[in-house]
Amino acid sequence: MASAYLSRTPASASNRDLWTLSFWIKRSTLGTSQSIYGVYADSNNQETLAFDSNDKLYWQLYQSGGVVGQLTTNRLFRDTSAWYHIVVAYDSANSTAGNRMRMYINGVEETSFATDTNPSSGQDSQWNSTTAHTIGRINTTNYFDGSITHFHSIDGTAYPP
């Protein structure tokens, strides 16, 4: 499994309630937990977008020792020859709970989830905090094995693809 990753710790926090990430990925290994990105303050406060060992994609916000938001797809991602364009948009002030965490795959909004836990209104995410942000792992584990390219972070707007 690969062990390459990027890390950045912002000097100051920016918008933790409204942002978008957009990137392309191609998987190399299946059947293992692999983080695409992670923000890890401690075991009680973290956020990740990752593939689980069943090859489902999940996005989890874990704060004060509990899950405050999580989307886990029913869809499986098992094509190691395919590039996937993934967009995740976070808007905790959205009046519709189901629109606070949105996930798009190849330009289509993902709507079928095994887990669909929406954050409460105004819930801060870990993204854009002053904690180390890593692309390709979380903390020191769950390295992503594959390719990630064109990784964009948009601060202050929740864009569709």
Side-chain angles (χ1 to χ4, degrees):
M1 175 163 287
S3 60
Y5 67 95
L6 295 172
S7 181
R8 175 181 177 265
T9 303
S12 60
S14 56
N15 198 326
R16 295 176 59 191
D17 300 318
L18 186 64
W19 50 266
T20 307
L21 299 179
S22 172
F23 51 88
W24 288 87
I25 63 164
K26 184 177 182 182
R27 299 188 72 193
S28 294
T29 301
L30 303 176
T32 63
S33 295
Q34 299 176 40
S35 289
I36 297 166
Y37 83 81
V39 183
Y40 184 90
D42 56 49
S43 62
N44 290 315
N45 298 283
Q46 54 188 297
E47 178 176 336
T48 191
L49 179 69
F51 292 103
D52 67 17
S53 60
N54 295 314
D55 301 315
K56 294 181 178 184
L57 183 63
Y58 73 94
W59 178 17
Q60 183 183 72
L61 286 73
Y62 191 79
Q63 295 181 10
S64 301
V67 173
V68 296
Q70 181 171 334
L71 299 177
T72 303
T73 65
N74 283 313
R75 178 182 183 174
L76 303 177
F77 295 83
R78 292 185 171 156
D79 187 348
T80 56
S81 67
W83 281 94
Y84 297 102
H85 179 231
I86 298 176
V87 173
V88 292
Y90 189 77
D91 180 1
S92 69
N94 196 301
S95 60
T96 303
N99 289 340
R100 294 182 187 145
M101 292 175 72
R102 299 176 91 170
M103 184 184 296
Y104 303 87
I105 311 298
N106 296 334
V108 178
E109 185 168 8
E110 198 71 21
T111 58
S112 178
F113 297 105
T115 304
D116 189 350
T117 304
N118 300 295
S120 55
S121 181
Q123 175 68 55
D124 282 347
S125 67
Q126 292 291 328
W127 191 260
N128 289 330
S129 68
T130 56
T131 301
H133 292 48
T134 55
I135 298 170
R137 74 175 193 182
I138 184 169
N139 193 19
T140 60
T141 63
N142 296 353
Y143 288 89
F144 181 75
D145 189 14
S147 299
I148 303 174
T149 188
H150 293 87
F151 196 102
H152 300 277
S153 175
I154 299 99
D155 188 12
T157 306
Y159 284 119

